[in-house]
Amino acid sequence: MKTYDNNPNQPLRRLTILSIVAITISFLVLLGSLLWWIWFAKSDIYSPKEIVMDLSVKTTDGIRQELVLGDNSIVWVNANSVLKYAADYKVDRQLNLSGEAYFKIKKNDKPFTLITEHATVYLFGGVFLVEAYENKSYLRFTLFDGEGYLVSKASGQKTTLNPGIAITMVNDSGQMEINRIEKGVYGPSWLVSRFEYMAFNSVLYALSDFYDVSVTNNRPELNYEPYSLTFEGNKSLDEVMKILQAISKNFQYRILDKEMVIY
């Protein structure tokens, strides 16, 4: 004979048990993340591994060079700079810089480490600018996107890095001054972009990549309209779009956070 459980509270009990299990799992994940960050902040993780950096990019007066790393991260090396890295860079994701460079580091489970003479930068990925010339008494670091830590070798101080901050550090003492950068700026003035007779859709693609925004183009009939313009890397996306509008008044645009719409 078949029997049936007519207890109306049974589904409710099952739902309650599932809810408790889900809450417990979420709590354990959150607790694990918190403990990891506590360990991360207190650990000596900023003692970089001694690895052989057998490859380098060296630039002289007036020369800038772009480098694509093994994990598809990109570095633009400014004049009079030296960037060193290992042939098996992807194993440790570690670079050594003397000079100035602009970085777009791919986010990865494996940490990224940048070593300079007076400080070490640790991130999982992001967009940032470092000026660390050996003949200057200070280091400058600007974070456009990402998060991590900067550690002074003089003082051992670990400073949390959040998007939109600019740090000037005195090399000998490790003393730091922290300021906010202008909203919308996403690169240095020396990183000049030139578009020579480039189709409108290609310009939008390049801007989307540089400013890390998604672009919705509701004017596809303009896709192959050619543009020629030059702009510095410290221009905001809004400023660059105003330049495009001055060339052609055939479109409007709207920027909201990480999205831009052409209409």
Side-chain angles (χ1 to χ4, degrees):
M1 175 185 294
K2 294 183 180 180
T3 60
Y4 298 91
D5 187 351
N6 294 322
N7 186 350
N9 293 323
Q10 186 178 27
L12 181 60
R13 287 201 303 271
R14 289 177 179 172
L15 180 61
T16 302
I17 292 172
L18 290 175
S19 299
I20 292 173
V21 171
I23 293 172
T24 302
I25 293 174
S26 300
F27 174 76
L28 291 174
V29 171
L30 180 62
L31 179 62
S33 300
L34 178 62
L35 291 174
W36 187 91
W37 276 106
I38 292 173
W39 169 84
F40 174 74
K42 293 183 177 180
S43 69
D44 194 27
I45 199 168
Y46 290 104
S47 298
K49 293 174 62 177
E50 292 292 335
I51 63 175
V52 177
M53 296 190 179
D54 43 4
L55 300 176
S56 65
V57 172
K58 298 180 180 180
T59 58
T60 55
D61 284 340
I63 301 298
R64 300 180 180 94
Q65 188 167 336
E66 178 181 339
L67 172 68
V68 180
L69 297 166
D71 61 353
N72 292 320
S73 298
I74 306 175
V75 184
W76 287 267
V77 184
N78 200 5
N80 298 311
S81 301
V82 180
L83 182 73
K84 296 181 180 179
Y85 59 104
D88 55 353
Y89 158 81
K90 286 195 295 185
V91 174
D92 295 296
R93 296 225 307 167
Q94 185 169 303
L95 302 177
N96 188 297
L97 173 67
S98 173
E100 185 175 18
Y102 175 70
F103 299 82
K104 296 188 78 170
I105 301 300
K106 292 288 185 179
K107 293 184 179 179
N108 197 311
D109 292 337
K110 187 171 294 183
F112 169 83
T113 305
L114 176 68
I115 304 168
T116 71
E117 184 178 5
H118 297 285
T120 302
V121 176
Y122 178 95
L123 301 122
F124 280 99
V127 181
F128 57 97
L129 173 69
V130 179
E131 181 185 346
Y133 287 99
E134 292 182 1
N135 62 347
K136 292 187 177 180
S137 61
Y138 60 85
L139 174 145
R140 285 179 176 158
F141 176 91
T142 305
L143 183 64
F144 304 100
D145 183 44
E147 57 184 17
Y149 286 88
L150 181 147
V151 182
S152 164
K153 292 184 180 179
S155 66
Q157 178 183 348
K158 297 179 182 179
T159 301
T160 302
L161 302 174
N162 294 308
I165 66 167
I167 296 175
T168 300
M169 184 190 79
V170 179
N171 291 335
D172 291 342
S173 66
Q175 181 179 353
M176 298 184 193
E177 178 183 334
I178 302 177
N179 295 295
R180 303 295 301 180
I181 63 174
E182 181 183 347
K183 187 177 181 180
V185 173
Y186 220 67
S189 59
W190 53 264
L191 188 62
V192 177
S193 296
R194 293 184 177 87
F195 300 145
E196 297 292 342
Y197 210 69
M198 183 180 288
F200 185 62
N201 60 344
S202 297
V203 172
L204 293 180
Y205 179 83
L207 294 177
S208 170
D209 183 59
F210 183 80
Y211 289 99
D212 191 26
V213 297
S214 64
V215 177
T216 301
N217 182 14
N218 294 325
R219 298 293 304 279
E221 70 275 13
L222 302 178
N223 277 347
Y224 300 104
E225 185 175 316
Y227 285 83
S228 296
L229 70 153
T230 300
F231 67 93
E232 297 175 340
N234 63 346
K235 296 287 187 185
S236 69
L237 177 59
D238 185 55
E239 289 175 309
V240 175
M241 292 305 296
K242 281 183 169 59
I243 295 173
L244 285 175
Q245 275 192 321
I247 298 173
S248 171
K249 302 184 185 299
N250 293 332
F251 69 91
Q252 301 293 322
Y253 68 92
R254 181 175 63 252
I255 302 172
L256 181 62
D257 295 329
K258 290 288 188 178
E259 296 182 5
M260 179 170 70
V261 178
I262 308 296
Y263 59 94

